[in-house]
Each structure stands twice: as C-alpha cells, then as structure tokens.
Coordinates of all heavy atoms in Angstrom, one line a residue:
C1 N -11.4 -7.7 5.4 CA -11.8 -8.5 4.3 C -10.6 -9.3 3.7 O -10.8 -10.3 3.0 CB -12.4 -7.6 3.2 SG -11.3 -6.6 2.3
G2 N -9.4 -8.9 4.0 CA -8.2 -9.6 3.6 C -8.0 -9.7 2.1 O -7.4 -10.6 1.5
I3 N -8.5 -8.7 1.4 CA -8.5 -8.7 -0.1 C -7.0 -8.6 -0.6 O -6.7 -9.1 -1.7 CB -9.3 -7.6 -0.7 CG1 -9.6 -7.8 -2.2 CG2 -8.7 -6.2 -0.4 CD1 -10.6 -6.9 -2.8
G4 N -6.1 -7.9 0.1 CA -4.8 -7.7 -0.4 C -4.1 -9.1 -0.7 O -3.4 -9.2 -1.7
R5 N -4.3 -10.0 0.2 CA -3.6 -11.3 -0.1 C -4.4 -12.2 -1.0 O -3.9 -13.3 -1.5 CB -3.4 -12.1 1.3 CG -2.4 -11.3 2.2 CD -1.8 -12.3 3.2 NE -0.6 -11.7 3.8 CZ 0.6 -11.6 3.4 NH1 0.8 -12.1 2.2 NH2 1.5 -11.0 4.0
K6 N -5.6 -11.9 -1.3 CA -6.5 -12.7 -2.2 C -6.4 -12.2 -3.6 O -6.2 -13.0 -4.5 CB -7.9 -12.6 -1.7 CG -8.1 -13.3 -0.3 CD -9.5 -13.1 0.2 CE -9.7 -13.7 1.6 NZ -11.0 -13.4 2.2
T7 N -6.5 -10.9 -3.9 CA -6.5 -10.4 -5.2 C -5.3 -9.4 -5.5 O -5.0 -9.1 -6.6 CB -7.8 -9.7 -5.6 OG1 -7.9 -8.5 -4.9 CG2 -9.0 -10.6 -5.3
G8 N -4.9 -8.8 -4.4 CA -3.8 -7.7 -4.5 C -4.5 -6.4 -4.8 O -5.7 -6.3 -5.0
G9 N -3.7 -5.4 -4.8 CA -4.2 -4.0 -5.1 C -3.1 -3.0 -5.0 O -1.9 -3.3 -4.7
I10 N -3.5 -1.7 -5.2 CA -2.5 -0.6 -5.1 C -3.1 0.4 -4.2 O -4.3 0.8 -4.4 CB -2.3 0.0 -6.5 CG1 -1.6 -1.0 -7.4 CG2 -1.4 1.3 -6.4 CD1 -1.5 -0.5 -8.9
W11 N -2.3 0.9 -3.3 CA -2.7 2.1 -2.5 C -2.3 3.3 -3.3 O -1.1 3.7 -3.4 CB -2.1 2.1 -1.1 CG -2.6 3.2 -0.2 CD1 -2.4 4.5 -0.3 CD2 -3.5 3.0 0.9 NE1 -3.0 5.2 0.8 CE2 -3.7 4.2 1.5 CE3 -4.1 1.9 1.5 CZ2 -4.5 4.4 2.7 CZ3 -4.8 2.0 2.7 CH2 -5.0 3.3 3.2
H12 N -3.3 3.9 -4.0 CA -3.0 5.0 -4.9 C -2.6 6.3 -4.2 O -3.0 6.6 -3.1 CB -4.3 5.2 -5.7 CG -4.5 6.6 -6.2 ND1 -3.7 7.2 -7.2 CD2 -5.5 7.6 -6.0 CE1 -4.1 8.4 -7.5 NE2 -5.2 8.6 -6.8
A13 N -1.6 7.0 -4.8 CA -1.2 8.3 -4.3 C -0.7 8.2 -2.9 O -1.1 9.1 -2.0 CB -2.2 9.4 -4.5
F14 N 0.1 7.3 -2.6 CA 0.6 7.1 -1.2 C 1.3 8.3 -0.7 O 2.2 8.8 -1.3 CB 1.4 5.8 -1.1 CG 1.9 5.5 0.3 CD1 1.0 4.8 1.1 CD2 3.1 5.9 0.8 CE1 1.4 4.5 2.4 CE2 3.5 5.6 2.1 CZ 2.6 4.9 2.9
T15 N 1.0 8.7 0.5 CA 1.7 9.9 1.2 C 1.9 9.6 2.7 O 2.4 10.5 3.4 CB 0.9 11.2 1.0 OG1 -0.4 11.0 1.6 CG2 0.7 11.6 -0.4
S16 N 1.6 8.4 3.1 CA 1.7 8.2 4.6 C 3.1 7.7 5.0 O 4.0 7.9 4.2 CB 0.6 7.1 5.0 OG 0.4 7.1 6.3
S17 N 3.2 7.2 6.2 CA 4.5 6.9 6.8 C 5.0 5.5 6.3 O 4.3 4.7 5.8 CB 4.4 6.9 8.3 OG 3.5 5.8 8.7
L18 N 6.3 5.3 6.6 CA 6.9 4.1 6.2 C 6.3 2.9 6.9 O 6.0 1.8 6.3 CB 8.4 4.1 6.5 CG 9.2 2.8 6.2 CD1 9.1 2.4 4.8 CD2 10.7 3.0 6.6
P19 N 6.0 3.0 8.2 CA 5.3 1.8 8.9 C 4.0 1.5 8.2 O 3.6 0.3 8.1 CB 5.1 2.3 10.3 CG 6.2 3.3 10.5 CD 6.4 4.0 9.2
V20 N 3.2 2.5 7.8 CA 1.9 2.2 7.1 C 2.2 1.5 5.8 O 1.5 0.5 5.4 CB 1.1 3.5 6.8 CG1 0.0 3.2 5.9 CG2 0.6 4.0 8.2
A21 N 3.2 2.0 5.0 CA 3.6 1.3 3.8 C 4.0 -0.1 4.0 O 3.6 -1.0 3.2 CB 4.7 2.1 3.1
E22 N 4.8 -0.3 5.0 CA 5.2 -1.7 5.3 C 4.1 -2.6 5.6 O 4.0 -3.8 5.2 CB 6.3 -1.7 6.4 CG 7.6 -1.0 6.0 CD 8.5 -0.8 7.1 OE1 8.1 -0.7 8.3 OE2 9.8 -0.8 6.9
E23 N 3.1 -2.1 6.4 CA 1.9 -2.9 6.7 C 1.1 -3.2 5.4 O 0.7 -4.4 5.2 CB 1.0 -2.2 7.7 CG -0.2 -3.1 8.0 CD -1.1 -2.5 9.1 OE1 -0.8 -1.4 9.6 OE2 -2.1 -3.1 9.5
L24 N 1.0 -2.2 4.6 CA 0.2 -2.4 3.3 C 0.9 -3.5 2.5 O 0.2 -4.4 1.9 CB 0.1 -1.1 2.5 CG -0.9 -0.1 3.0 CD1 -0.7 1.2 2.4 CD2 -2.3 -0.6 2.8
V25 N 2.2 -3.4 2.4 CA 3.0 -4.4 1.6 C 2.8 -5.8 2.2 O 2.6 -6.8 1.5 CB 4.5 -4.0 1.5 CG1 5.3 -5.2 0.8 CG2 4.6 -2.8 0.7
D26 N 2.8 -5.9 3.5 CA 2.6 -7.2 4.2 C 1.2 -7.7 4.0 O 1.0 -8.9 3.9 CB 2.9 -7.0 5.7 CG 2.8 -8.3 6.4 OD1 3.7 -9.2 6.1 OD2 2.0 -8.5 7.4
M27 N 0.3 -6.8 3.8 CA -1.1 -7.2 3.5 C -1.3 -7.6 2.0 O -2.4 -8.1 1.7 CB -2.1 -6.0 3.8 CG -2.2 -5.7 5.3 SD -3.0 -4.1 5.7 CE -4.7 -4.5 5.0
G28 N -0.4 -7.4 1.2 CA -0.5 -7.8 -0.2 C -0.7 -6.6 -1.2 O -0.9 -6.9 -2.4
F29 N -0.5 -5.4 -0.8 CA -0.7 -4.2 -1.6 C 0.6 -3.7 -2.2 O 1.7 -3.8 -1.6 CB -1.4 -3.1 -0.9 CG -2.9 -3.4 -0.7 CD1 -3.3 -4.1 0.5 CD2 -3.8 -3.0 -1.6 CE1 -4.7 -4.4 0.7 CE2 -5.2 -3.3 -1.4 CZ -5.6 -3.9 -0.3
K30 N 0.5 -3.1 -3.4 CA 1.6 -2.3 -3.9 C 1.4 -0.8 -3.5 O 0.3 -0.4 -3.2 CB 1.6 -2.4 -5.5 CG 1.6 -3.8 -6.0 CD 2.8 -4.6 -5.7 CE 2.8 -5.9 -6.4 NZ 4.0 -6.8 -5.9
I31 N 2.5 -0.1 -3.6 CA 2.4 1.4 -3.3 C 2.5 2.2 -4.6 O 3.5 2.0 -5.3 CB 3.6 1.7 -2.4 CG1 3.6 0.9 -1.1 CG2 3.6 3.2 -2.1 CD1 2.3 1.1 -0.3
G32 N 1.5 3.0 -4.8 CA 1.4 3.8 -6.0 C 2.3 5.0 -5.8 O 2.0 5.9 -5.0
V33 N 3.3 5.2 -6.7 CA 4.2 6.3 -6.6 C 4.0 7.2 -7.8 O 4.2 6.8 -8.9 CB 5.7 5.8 -6.5 CG1 6.7 7.0 -6.4 CG2 5.9 4.8 -5.4
G34 N 3.7 8.5 -7.5 CA 3.4 9.4 -8.6 C 4.1 10.7 -8.4 O 5.1 10.8 -7.7
P35 N 3.6 11.8 -9.0 CA 4.2 13.1 -9.0 C 4.4 13.7 -7.7 O 5.2 14.7 -7.5 CB 3.2 13.9 -9.9 CG 2.6 12.9 -10.8 CD 2.4 11.7 -10.0
I36 N 3.7 13.2 -6.6 CA 4.0 13.7 -5.3 C 5.4 13.6 -4.9 O 6.0 14.4 -4.2 CB 3.1 13.0 -4.3 CG1 1.6 13.3 -4.5 CG2 3.5 13.3 -2.8 CD1 0.7 12.5 -3.6
L37 N 6.1 12.5 -5.5 CA 7.5 12.3 -5.2 C 8.4 13.4 -5.7 O 9.5 13.6 -5.2 CB 7.9 10.9 -5.9 CG 9.3 10.4 -5.5 CD1 9.4 10.0 -4.1 CD2 9.7 9.2 -6.4

C-alpha cells in the first residue's frame, strides 16, 4: 500500500533486527522505542 511514504507511521514496540528497522525507516516509518529498551 506504500502508506509509509504517503502518511508516515510508527512501528510500535519494535523488537526486530537492524535490517528490518532500516527497511521500515526507508519505507517512511518511525521506530517506537519503549521500556523494552
């Protein structure tokens, strides 16, 4: 749907790998950083 580059968004409670995070950022998303850290 390409929504990341159209409206943006946040991947809530991110716990995945750095490559996944980098792809999400490239798609237009922010990374939600919370108490998991």
